[in-house]
Amino acid sequence: GGSGNQGVATGGAGQGTSIGDGSGNSYSLAGRTIVGKLPKPVYNIQESGKVVVEIKVDKNGNVTNANVISKGTTVQNQTLWNVAVQAAKKAKFNPDPTKPAIQSGTITYNFRLQ
């Protein structure tokens, strides 16, 4: 196998880049790349929809905070919200000492019926 970004879409001014992982999940964090793979939520609920998690990332690429935001979120299931936040907190991005002490971005999880 090789490496690379699958599904790259550039947003508007100030939006940064949204990068998908091929499963419908994606992240947007200006000027940063994911280290490894985007962590996937673990769930066994028969519900589908989208959960958008706002993340705060430090200069070292660690997610320091994660919360579900209503903009873009299409499900109200608290269990799906919780597993999305748990997965988002495990994400690791490339370190960048030139970025702000805390940088905001989003991770979007698309839940599908299993």
Side-chain angles (χ1 to χ4, degrees), residues 9-113:
T10 304
Q15 294 292 319
T17 301
S18 179
I19 300 177
D21 68 357
S23 69
N25 301 325
S26 63
Y27 70 89
S28 178
L29 188 62
R32 299 282 191 110
T33 56
I34 194 83
V35 174
K37 292 184 177 184
L38 193 60
K40 293 182 180 177
V42 176
Y43 66 102
N44 59 3
I45 295 175
Q46 293 301 314
E47 189 168 346
S48 62
K50 189 183 330 183
V51 176
V52 181
V53 180
E54 181 182 43
I55 56 172
K56 305 289 186 185
V57 179
D58 65 16
K59 290 181 182 238
N60 295 320
N62 300 306
V63 175
T64 61
N65 197 3
N67 293 296
V68 173
I69 58 174
S70 59
K71 184 177 181 181
T73 296
T74 63
V75 295
Q76 299 303 312
N77 186 305
Q78 293 295 312
T79 300
L80 293 182
W81 285 24
N82 291 337
V83 297
V85 167
Q86 288 171 5
K89 287 180 177 178
K90 295 176 185 174
K92 175 78 174 165
F93 295 88
N94 67 301
D96 190 339
T98 67
K99 296 292 182 198
I102 298 295
Q103 183 180 7
S104 295
T106 59
I107 297 176
T108 302
Y109 290 107
N110 282 295
F111 291 92
R112 296 190 171 103
L113 297 178

